[in-house]
Amino acid sequence: MSHGASAFATGVHLVLMAWISIVELGLSSSQLGWIQAAVLFPNLLLILVAGAWADRVNPAKVMVAAQLLLSCSFVSLLLLLTGGYANFVSLLIYAITVGIGQAFIQPVREKLVTQIQGSSAQKRISLLSITQFSLQSCGMALAALTDTVGLNGILVIQIVASLSSCIVLASLVKFIGDGTANTTSGHKTAQDIAGAVRYVINSSGLRQLMALIAFNGYMHMGVFLVAIPVVATGTYRLSSSEYAWLQMLFVLGMICAHTFLLRAKLVEYPGQGALFSLLYTTLIGFALAKGPTPFGFYSLVFLWGLTAGNSAGRCRLVLQSLVVPEMKGRIMAVYQLMLFGAAPFGALVTGYLINYMSIKNIFSFMSMSSAALFVVFLFSRTLWSIKQHVEEGDASSS
């Protein structure tokens, strides 16, 4: 319930932030790139700290504090808009505070997932993702009603959903263990972070997985967050509701990917599916570069979401198979750092390149680089050969 309510509020945020930037404030593509990057940059500084805390203290307590910060951020945006103070700088500050909250939620939530009993890792990850993207799409659908409900009304509903998530999380605290210690001292946190980095460096499979995740963050998040809004509003002249439905199609693709994973039997070699997603990205980028019809554009965005969801789900299965339970919070933080660390660079580079080259060339680069990375991974069989760890839930379901 708490995860769904938080995802709902995030879905509203994803649509409104881009729409307010482009339509309400008339920001340039490079300014939009900075806004989108500002949400992602805090992950570079804080996500490893969040991962260390997740392994040492009650992760539910950390999530309550992070969700409360997100609620305050949504309230501040409402006050900025109603007071007429919204501009590039204020929206940039809002984006940073949202990014700080999300930096602590990501790895802590993954730690909580590992503590759920009675189902396999494949089912737990799939159900978490389906809940997230389903409720996120509902938030996007609500944002599509901006012309009917009004911008302020949408923001009020978003704030209520975020605060509801805080309340449910607070009631969950007493059911969750306190981890290995009740301290978050700076020295111990630094030791935990250093240990997690060494753990990744010493594992060939984790090193390659992190490289793949960084690429996915750059393409599936960074390029998408800037290129798609620019094409939607500039080339296809989509309205606010049409743009929201476009975002929902991407999320629907991700939901379908995780639903397939949930219903599938035990995926023995998850890394293979993650690598083949690079080829799917190659085809999608090539098709987008050809300038599809509006229907084709919508369809390709859906397929992009399907590919991103397939890759994300299988990459997380690889991580769960390679990492011991007591390290999963910290290693998931490294995973998220690579994902969200590469994403702002994709957003910034795309925002500036649009001023100097056509969007078709950007999509062509996406296509060629995806194909090139797939070829590089062909020279190493590590990710191809990683088998999913079989838990009790896996054995019974299979």
Side-chain angles (χ1 to χ4, degrees):
M1 291 173 61
S2 63
H3 178 47
S6 177
F8 178 87
T10 301
V12 176
H13 157 79
L14 288 174
V15 174
L16 289 190
M17 190 173 72
W19 192 256
I20 291 172
S21 299
I22 295 176
V23 177
E24 297 292 332
L25 301 182
L27 301 183
S28 65
S29 61
S30 58
Q31 288 176 317
L32 174 61
W34 276 107
I35 294 293
Q36 299 287 24
V39 180
L40 303 170
F41 271 133
N43 290 278
L44 298 175
L45 302 175
L46 299 174
I47 202 165
L48 291 179
V49 175
W53 287 10
D55 284 333
R56 296 189 57 77
V57 301
N58 190 317
K61 293 180 180 178
V62 181
M63 286 193 70
V64 170
Q67 192 62 47
L68 187 60
L69 176 61
L70 288 176
S71 301
C72 293
S73 301
F74 300 147
V75 172
S76 69
L77 179 61
L78 176 61
L79 295 177
L80 287 172
L81 291 172
T82 54
Y85 300 110
N87 52 40
F88 171 66
V89 175
S90 63
L91 201 60
L92 194 66
I93 296 173
Y94 160 76
I96 292 173
T97 58
V98 170
I100 293 173
Q102 291 180 346
F104 278 91
I105 284 180
Q106 298 289 347
V108 178
R109 184 173 57 208
E110 197 75 17
K111 179 69 174 183
L112 285 174
V113 172
T114 65
Q115 297 179 336
I116 299 173
Q117 302 298 323
S119 62
S120 66
Q122 183 172 319
K123 291 186 179 296
R124 291 198 300 267
I125 290 174
S126 300
L127 285 172
L128 180 78
S129 299
I130 291 171
T131 300
Q132 176 180 343
F133 295 120
S134 296
L135 272 294
Q136 197 173 97
S137 64
C138 291
M140 292 177 174
L142 176 66
L145 301 176
T146 302
D147 295 336
T148 304
V149 180
L151 184 57
N152 292 344
I154 299 295
L155 288 171
V156 169
I157 297 173
Q158 178 193 37
I159 292 167
V160 171
S162 183
L163 290 174
S164 299
S165 178
C166 290
I167 295 172
V168 178
L169 278 168
S171 67
L172 185 67
V173 169
K174 61 183 178 181
F175 299 106
I176 304 299
D178 284 335
T180 58
N182 288 313
T183 177
T184 55
S185 65
H187 177 68
K188 185 58 181 176
T189 299
Q191 286 183 329
D192 289 344
I193 292 173
V197 173
R198 288 194 299 269
Y199 192 92
V200 172
I201 292 175
N202 293 332
S203 171
S204 174
L206 285 176
R207 290 199 305 269
Q208 293 188 28
L209 177 65
M210 297 307 171
L212 178 59
I213 289 304
F215 179 84
N216 287 345
Y218 186 97
M219 288 297 173
H220 296 317
M221 294 183 66
V223 174
F224 180 89
L225 287 172
V226 176
I228 293 301
V230 170
V231 173
T233 56
T235 304
Y236 295 98
R237 307 292 181 183
L238 300 186
S239 65
S240 60
S241 60
E242 290 171 332
Y243 175 69
W245 285 112
L246 181 70
Q247 290 274 48
M248 283 187 62
L249 275 177
F250 182 85
V251 175
L252 181 60
M254 300 192 75
I255 293 173
C256 289
H258 289 291
T259 301
F260 295 153
L261 192 60
L262 174 65
R263 297 176 62 87
K265 294 181 180 180
L266 181 70
V267 178
E268 189 173 10
Y269 297 101
Q272 296 179 7
L275 291 176
F276 272 110
S277 294
L278 291 171
L279 291 183
Y280 308 148
T281 304
T282 298
L283 297 175
I284 292 169
F286 178 78
L288 287 170
K290 294 300 181 181
T293 63
F295 176 78
F297 179 59
Y298 274 88
S299 300
L300 288 170
V301 168
F302 169 77
L303 292 175
W304 195 344
L306 189 67
T307 300
N310 179 71
S311 182
R314 293 170 187 270
C315 284
R316 287 167 71 186
L317 286 177
V318 172
L319 183 139
Q320 294 286 349
S321 301
L322 291 175
V323 182
V324 295
E326 58 270 20
M327 291 287 294
K328 284 185 178 178
R330 281 165 282 176
I331 302 305
M332 191 62 200
V334 178
Y335 176 102
Q336 297 288 349
L337 176 65
M338 300 304 295
L339 180 68
F340 293 106
F345 293 103
L348 286 174
V349 170
T350 303
Y352 279 102
L353 285 180
I354 288 176
N355 296 322
Y356 303 102
M357 61 189 299
S358 70
I359 193 70
K360 294 182 179 180
N361 289 335
I362 292 176
F363 286 133
S364 295
F365 171 77
M366 182 182 81
S367 179
M368 291 184 293
S369 58
S370 298
L373 186 60
F374 179 80
V375 172
V376 169
F377 275 114
L378 288 179
F379 291 97
S380 173
R381 307 295 298 179
T382 303
L383 283 181
W384 290 87
S385 60
I386 293 173
K387 296 185 67 173
Q388 184 180 174
H389 173 65
V390 178
E391 300 175 355
E392 182 179 352
D394 297 305
S396 61
S397 62
S398 56

